[in-house]
Amino acid sequence: MHLVRYRSIQTVRNWSQMFWALAFPIILGTFFYVSFGSGDMGEEMGPIPVAVVADAGEAADTKAFMDFLEQMDGGVLQVLPMEEEAAREALQGDEIIGIFDCRRAPSLTVAGTGISQSILKSLMDGYDKNAALIASIVRDHPEKIPELSEAAAALGQRQEMTEDVGVKGRTLDTNISYFFALIAYACLAGVFLGTQASLDSQADLSALGARQSVAPVHRLQMILTDLLVLFFIHFGNVLILTCYIRFVLKVDLGGDVPALILVEWMGSMIGISMGILVGRISRLGMSGKMGLCVFLTLFPSFLAGLMFGQMKNVVERHCPIVNRINPAAVLSDALYSISVYNDGERLIRSVAILSIMSVGMVAVAYLAVRRVSYDSI
C-alpha cells in the first residue's frame, strides 16, 4: 500500500505526462467536434429552396412540369414563385439553390456545385426522361394513349423503395471513425505514464530509482504495482474522455456500455504496458524515450484513422496484417464491433489480441530488469 500510495501521488502530480494522457485527447476531441460535428449523421437536410418562373398562360408540357414541382413542394423542395429578375437576385444572394424556368421548355439554373444542386439536377433529369418516354409512346404507339394517364400517375408517385438502417437500427456517419481513433489514441497515451514510471524506477536515471533499487522489494512486485496504479489512473482518464465525448459533445458511441468499458479497460492496459516496456528495455535517454512515446502513439493512431478517417481501410486492403498487430487499429475495430457491426466474435478477437499484447509486454519488461544490477548507487 505504501508503493501504491506514492506511485499514485507521483503520477497525478506529473502535470506534463497527465496533459498528454488526459488533456490533449480532450482538446483533440473538441477540435474534431468543431470540424465534423457529433458524428451522428449530421443535420437533417430540409427542403431545398428553389424559385419557379412561369407565365400566366401555360402550355400543356409546362403545366405538367408545374404539377411535378407541386408534388415535390414541402418535401424535397421549397417552391417559391418569383419573377425572373427577383429569382436571379435571390440566386446570387444564396437565398435559393436553383431556378426552374417553366415559361418555355422546363430548364434549371444553379449557381454552384454541391449536394443540393446535384439533387435538383437529378430531379430535372428524371422528369426529362419520363417526359421523353411518354412522348415516344405517343409518337410510336398511339394505341397506348388510353393507358398513358395511368402510367403518368404511376410515374408521378415517387416512392422510396429503400430504407436506411444500421445494424442496430441506426445509421452512423463515417466521421465517427475519428472519435473511435481518438479513444484508441487516448488509450495508447498511457505509454507516457508507463515510461515515466519506468524512468523513475531506474537507479542510473533518478534518485528515486536508486532508493527503490536498494529496497527489499521483489522486482516483479514493483513492476506489478506500477502497472496497476498507472492502469487505474489512466483508465480513469479514458473514462473521463469517453464521458466528455458522449455527454458533452453528444457523440453516439453505441448503447453497449459494458462492452465499451471492457474495450477501454484493455486499451488502458495496453498503453501502460507499452510504456513500462519502453522505459525498461530502451537504452535511450529520457528525451529519446519520450520521443519514442510520441511515435508509438501518433503513428499507430494515424494508421487507425486519427488523421485520415479511411486510412485503416487502406491498410486493410493492402496489408491487413498491420491492422492485426497495430493496437490502435485493434481498439478502433473493437469499438466498431460494439457500435456498428454488433459482432461479438470480432469483439472477442480484438480483446484477446490486446490481452496477449499486454501480458507479453509486461513479461518482456520483467525479464529485462530482473537481473539488472548496479556497480555503485
Side-chain angles (χ1 to χ4, degrees):
M1 292 306 299
H2 178 81
L3 292 174
V4 169
R5 177 187 174 189
Y6 281 96
R7 175 55 69 190
S8 301
I9 294 174
Q10 277 181 278
T11 303
V12 174
R13 287 181 177 177
N14 193 326
W15 300 112
S16 61
Q17 305 305 323
M18 289 297 291
F19 170 81
W20 292 108
L22 175 61
F24 182 70
I26 291 177
I27 295 172
L28 196 57
T30 304
F31 287 151
F32 282 170
Y33 178 79
V34 172
S35 301
F36 310 127
S38 65
D40 299 334
M41 270 300 289
E43 298 180 356
E44 292 290 334
M45 178 176 289
I48 302 173
V50 296
V52 175
V53 180
D55 290 333
E58 298 175 349
D61 57 343
T62 302
K63 187 177 186 307
F65 185 67
M66 290 293 297
D67 292 340
F68 170 75
L69 293 179
E70 288 179 3
Q71 292 179 0
M72 300 291 103
D73 191 17
V76 179
L77 304 178
Q78 178 186 1
V79 178
L80 304 172
M82 291 185 182
E83 298 293 334
E84 180 179 6
E85 188 64 28
R88 293 190 178 279
E89 291 179 0
L91 183 62
Q92 293 176 358
D94 294 329
E95 299 175 15
I96 58 175
I97 303 300
I99 302 173
F100 287 109
D101 192 340
C102 303
R103 294 174 298 177
R104 295 169 292 276
S107 62
L108 169 66
T109 302
V110 295
T113 59
I115 296 177
S116 297
Q117 289 83 352
S118 298
I119 292 174
L120 296 182
K121 185 177 185 302
S122 297
L123 290 175
M124 190 75 240
D125 292 343
Y127 176 83
D128 288 339
K129 290 178 181 178
N130 291 335
L133 175 62
I134 294 176
S136 176
I137 293 174
V138 172
R139 183 180 64 253
D140 300 332
H141 301 281
E143 70 279 2
K144 299 292 185 180
I145 292 179
E147 302 176 10
L148 279 180
S149 59
E150 182 178 348
L155 290 174
Q157 297 296 324
R158 301 180 61 86
Q159 299 180 2
E160 294 291 337
M161 304 305 294
T162 60
E163 181 181 0
D164 291 334
V165 295
V167 178
K168 290 187 175 181
R170 61 194 182 89
T171 307
L172 291 178
D173 184 32
T174 54
N175 289 331
I176 198 70
S177 63
Y178 288 98
F179 293 98
F180 289 162
L182 175 63
I183 294 177
Y185 167 81
C187 291
L188 294 187
V191 70
F192 293 101
L193 302 181
T195 300
Q196 185 64 51
S198 295
L199 294 175
D200 291 340
S201 301
Q202 297 179 45
D204 57 337
L205 296 178
S206 70
L208 176 61
R211 293 195 297 271
Q212 288 186 352
S213 296
V214 298
V217 181
H218 197 279
R219 296 288 177 83
L220 182 60
Q221 183 179 353
M222 284 190 173
I223 290 179
L224 292 179
T225 300
D226 289 347
L227 179 67
L228 292 177
V229 171
L230 295 173
F231 165 73
F232 280 107
I233 292 176
H234 189 54
F235 181 56
N237 293 340
V238 177
L239 289 180
I240 292 173
L241 172 66
T242 303
C243 291
Y244 177 76
I245 292 174
R246 180 65 185 88
F247 299 109
V248 179
L249 301 184
K250 305 296 184 182
V251 177
D252 190 358
L253 299 175
D256 196 344
V257 177
L260 179 62
I261 292 177
L262 173 62
V263 172
E264 293 182 346
W265 175 284
M266 294 308 307
S268 301
M269 183 66 73
I270 196 73
I272 298 299
S273 301
M274 188 186 302
I276 291 177
L277 178 64
V278 170
R280 293 290 182 176
I281 69 172
S282 175
R283 296 186 178 181
L284 297 173
M286 182 176 292
S287 59
K289 288 184 178 181
M290 287 304 166
L292 182 59
C293 289
V294 173
F295 175 80
L296 291 176
T297 52
L298 290 180
F299 185 66
S301 299
F302 165 72
L303 296 180
L306 183 65
M307 294 79 169
F308 172 55
Q310 299 301 315
M311 191 63 197
K312 187 160 75 77
N313 297 333
V314 173
V315 176
E316 185 69 26
R317 286 196 303 268
H318 295 89
C319 191
I321 187 62
V322 174
N323 283 341
R324 304 298 177 267
I325 62 176
N326 177 8
V330 175
L331 283 166
S332 177
D333 197 53
L335 293 172
Y336 267 105
S337 300
I338 297 170
S339 301
V340 180
Y341 304 132
N342 195 21
D343 189 344
E345 182 178 348
R346 192 169 184 171
L347 174 62
I348 293 173
R349 184 190 70 184
S350 299
V351 171
I353 292 174
L354 294 172
S355 302
I356 294 172
M357 287 182 178
S358 297
V359 173
M361 290 178 184
V362 173
V364 172
Y366 170 67
L367 293 175
V369 302
R370 69 189 182 97
R371 295 186 181 276
V372 171
S373 61
Y374 299 93
D375 293 335
S376 176
I377 295 180

